Amino acid sequence: CNQIVIAGTMIGVCESLIYGYKAGLDVKSLLQSIQGGAAGCWTLNNLVPRILQRDFTPGFMVDHFVKDMGIALRESAAMGRSLPGLALVHQLYLAVQAQGHGSKGTQALMLALEHMVKLWDIEPTE
């Protein structure tokens, strides 16, 4: 259950940063604005500053997260239930692995999304 919540949180956080950046907002100000509101969470306080610093060292590795999401998806299917949000995020993290970032932290989801939405005019550096 913990990993399901984290998966949903990570996609929301990364997409909000992309949206804010593309809308011309200062992402550090954006972070300060939403940290104290209803969206406030551990991920905003701990992983977003690392994303902004381009620090993708693992606290928890993508490879382990993909394994955990796979377990949750298989167990859910065994119960005759689907978790469409988790399935989507799982696919995105498989893209992170395919891009060679499996040993990085879960915040490396940002790298795959940046690539997908062509966030930068040039390829981002780590």
Side-chain angles (χ1 to χ4, degrees), residues 1 5-6 14 22 24-25 27 33 35-36 38 60 64-65 75 82 104 110 115-116 122:
C1 293
V5 171
I6 291 169
C14 290
K22 292 303 264 186
L25 301 175
V27 290
S33 295
Q35 276 177 319
F60 192 72
H64 298 287
F65 196 38
E75 290 300 315
S82 66
K104 293 185 177 160
M110 189 62 150
H115 181 74
M116 292 172 76
I122 58 172

Side-chain angles (χ1 to χ4, degrees), residues 29-57:
S29 295
L30 169 67
L31 175 60
Q32 291 173 344
S33 295
I34 62 178
Q35 276 177 319
C41 63
W42 186 93
T43 301
L44 284 176
N45 295 335
N46 294 282
L47 295 182
V48 171
R50 292 173 68 183
I51 290 170
L52 297 179
Q53 295 168 2
R54 310 308 289 167
D55 175 3
F56 298 102
T57 56

Side-chain angles (χ1 to χ4, degrees), residues 64-80:
H64 298 287
F65 196 38
V66 168
K67 173 193 61 75
D68 290 350
M69 287 186 283
I71 292 168
L73 289 167
R74 284 190 302 278
E75 290 300 315
S76 177
M79 292 185 281

Side-chain angles (χ1 to χ4, degrees), residues 39 50 62-63 109 115 126:
R50 292 173 68 183
V62 167
D63 287 338
L109 177 62
H115 181 74
E126 296 175 29

